[in-house]
Amino acid sequence: MIQFLSLAILFSVFVRPKPTATVFRCRQAVQRRPIVPSFPRGKRPVNRRTAARASSGRESDGQISRAAYIHVPFCRRRCFYCDFAISVVGDSRSKWESEHEGYLQALLAEIETTPSEWGSCLTSVFFGGGTPSLASPSFIKKVIEALDKRYGLAKHAEISMEMDPGTFDLEKLRGFLHAGVNRVSLGVQTFDPNLLKEIGRAHSLEDVYHAIETLHAAGVDNFSIDLISGLPNQKVEDWRKSVLNAIRCNPTHISTYDLMVEQKTAFDRWGLTPGEPPLPSEAETLDMYRLTQKLLTREGYNHYEISNYAKEGYQCRHNRVYWEVKPFLAFGMGAASYTGDRRLTRPRKLGLYMEFVEAIKHLGSTLHNLTHML
């Protein structure tokens, strides 16, 4: 009983009614709010963009999970807008390696402990963070192999990985591709070098272009660029330039988010308020939204989800899992899964997450027992 009580503290389980066709929104989704126009009070459409930050799913209403999210929490620094579950490791490569090794063992144990019947023949795997590209190709390979062993991977599974400019070179990228990654989501955020500094990004504009050149050199056709609008001192014309620069890089997918000032972030501590200087006005952010639609759809990008645009045949399979309210597996620190009638949230602190994994390893049974007990 003591073991179960300690697990209940570490593994917060929120029971929710089965969602209708209109809504499922996970807490971790809102770091970067999708760009949406303003609507009269009570008339705003439901934002059905659900979190990629997830934990383990299970069979629900005849459906089993065919997607898995892996959270890799390590970052060189915390951006000024970020409230994700991360662990800052600085610029020391030796620290990156040591932190990732311990975390890898926890991830593998978590995957092994999660019931195999909760997922089958995965068609989508997404490595998010954090900065997954700080990890080694062998880290990624071992996780993919563990998922394949436990649940099986479909022959043409989409395996996406978030990467930050300045964290990989051609050799490392080829290692990720050899490990099984076949889709890259590049965290550019802006093509304005001054704005990169204002939001606390660890990379430079030079790093951005080098990363894109590296993707092309490695033959990566299926890659996405992430952009954020509504940044401090950002004008509509600045946003136009960023979108056009993204288009020129010829990605198959572009994600655009409007900045959301989350509690306890640096921007929140500094008193930034949406719609008030130095942030753009509401009218300006609406203009950015409309401009995004115009520029991207004109260039052949289909606006298939509030924050996502894709060329024909390149919609992100993993994004659609969240959008279509399907169950999904996931593993790692701070992750929260949707199981059809329940959301399961894991600890957001690295130490507590490690304790959680040790606790479930010593149960002598699987997470299935835990969820039934709780």
Side-chain angles (χ1 to χ4, degrees):
M1 176 61 74
I2 293 175
Q3 286 179 319
F4 281 117
L5 288 174
S6 64
L7 281 171
I9 295 172
L10 290 173
F11 191 43
S12 303
V13 178
F14 302 92
V15 180
R16 304 193 185 282
K18 179 182 176 182
T20 66
T22 60
V23 59
F24 173 71
R25 181 181 175 120
C26 220
R27 169 65 183 84
Q28 291 101 323
V30 295
Q31 169 189 328
R32 294 170 296 182
R33 176 165 52 92
I35 303 177
V36 292
S38 299
F39 295 88
R41 185 178 299 277
K43 300 297 184 180
R44 180 181 294 274
V46 174
N47 174 6
R48 296 180 293 177
R49 178 176 181 259
T50 55
R53 313 307 186 220
S55 187
S56 52
R58 66 170 183 174
E59 187 170 352
S60 172
D61 298 328
Q63 290 185 318
I64 57 177
S65 299
R66 301 194 185 278
Y69 173 81
I70 306 296
H71 190 68
V72 186
F74 305 107
C75 280
R76 289 180 289 177
R77 65 189 67 169
R78 183 180 286 276
C79 300
F80 300 153
Y81 55 81
C82 174
D83 78 331
F84 278 179
I86 70 168
S87 179
V88 176
V89 294
D91 294 317
S92 170
R93 292 184 180 274
S94 61
K95 187 172 183 181
W96 298 354
E97 294 172 1
S98 62
E99 293 283 357
H100 278 90
E101 181 56 34
Y103 189 73
L104 172 63
Q105 298 310 313
L107 276 178
L108 297 180
E110 185 182 346
I111 291 169
E112 179 62 27
T113 309
T114 303
S116 58
E117 64 269 20
W118 286 7
S120 177
C121 194
L122 302 177
T123 60
S124 172
V125 175
F126 195 104
F127 288 87
T131 310
S133 50
L134 289 180
S136 66
S138 64
F139 177 104
I140 301 300
K141 185 173 186 290
K142 289 174 182 178
V143 174
I144 292 173
E145 289 175 343
L147 290 171
D148 190 21
K149 179 181 178 181
R150 191 67 170 167
Y151 304 105
L153 290 175
K155 183 177 180 180
H156 299 292
E158 174 192 272
I159 302 181
S160 301
M161 182 173 170
E162 291 182 349
M163 298 187 186
D164 273 5
T167 62
F168 63 93
D169 56 18
L170 184 57
E171 180 182 2
K172 190 174 187 181
L173 176 58
R174 285 174 172 163
F176 290 139
L177 300 177
H178 182 72
V181 174
N182 54 27
R183 182 180 181 275
V184 171
S185 179
L186 189 66
V188 174
Q189 315 315 353
T190 175
F191 281 86
D192 185 317
N194 294 321
L195 287 177
L196 285 173
K197 294 177 183 178
E198 286 205 43
I199 62 178
R201 293 295 288 175
H203 66 260
S204 66
L205 185 57
E206 182 181 0
D207 291 330
V208 169
Y209 284 115
H210 179 69
I212 292 168
E213 289 174 3
T214 303
L215 290 172
H216 287 305
V220 179
D221 296 324
N222 191 4
F223 75 93
S224 178
I225 287 178
D226 281 6
L227 297 175
I228 305 178
S229 67
L231 300 176
N233 300 307
Q234 186 181 49
K235 305 302 181 185
V236 174
E237 184 58 27
D238 299 328
W239 176 246
R240 177 194 296 272
K241 290 178 181 178
S242 273
V243 175
L244 290 176
N245 280 327
I247 292 170
R248 292 187 189 103
C249 295
N250 198 31
T252 52
H253 188 284
I254 296 177
S255 294
T256 60
Y257 305 99
D258 187 24
L259 176 73
M260 189 169 189
V261 179
E262 295 285 1
Q263 292 183 356
K264 299 183 179 179
T265 60
F267 280 165
D268 177 53
R269 293 194 302 272
W270 299 339
L272 269 65
T273 302
E276 298 181 8
L279 297 181
S281 67
E282 187 170 341
E284 287 176 308
T285 58
L286 178 56
D287 286 343
M288 292 179 190
Y289 169 78
R290 290 170 172 162
L291 180 61
T292 304
Q293 284 187 316
K294 177 182 177 180
L295 294 176
L296 292 180
T297 55
R298 185 181 68 189
E299 295 297 325
Y301 290 90
N302 174 34
H303 192 187
Y304 74 98
E305 191 259 13
I306 289 176
S307 56
N308 292 290
Y309 297 78
K311 291 185 177 179
E312 185 67 29
Y314 287 97
Q315 291 184 12
C316 178
R317 193 178 300 169
H318 205 82
N319 283 351
R320 294 191 65 91
V321 169
Y322 305 134
W323 183 256
E324 295 169 8
V325 200
K326 294 180 179 178
F328 50 91
L329 293 161
F331 308 90
M333 177 182 122
S337 67
Y338 175 55
T339 67
D341 60 357
R342 183 175 299 174
R343 189 178 74 182
L344 304 138
T345 303
R346 299 182 188 266
R348 288 175 57 89
K349 299 294 185 181
L350 185 58
L352 288 177
Y353 170 70
M354 295 296 200
E355 290 179 19
F356 163 73
V357 174
E358 285 300 312
I360 61 174
K361 281 167 59 178
H362 289 95
L363 270 176
S365 55
T366 67
L367 286 176
H368 185 70
N369 292 333
L370 171 65
T371 55
H372 278 273
M373 181 69 179
L374 296 175

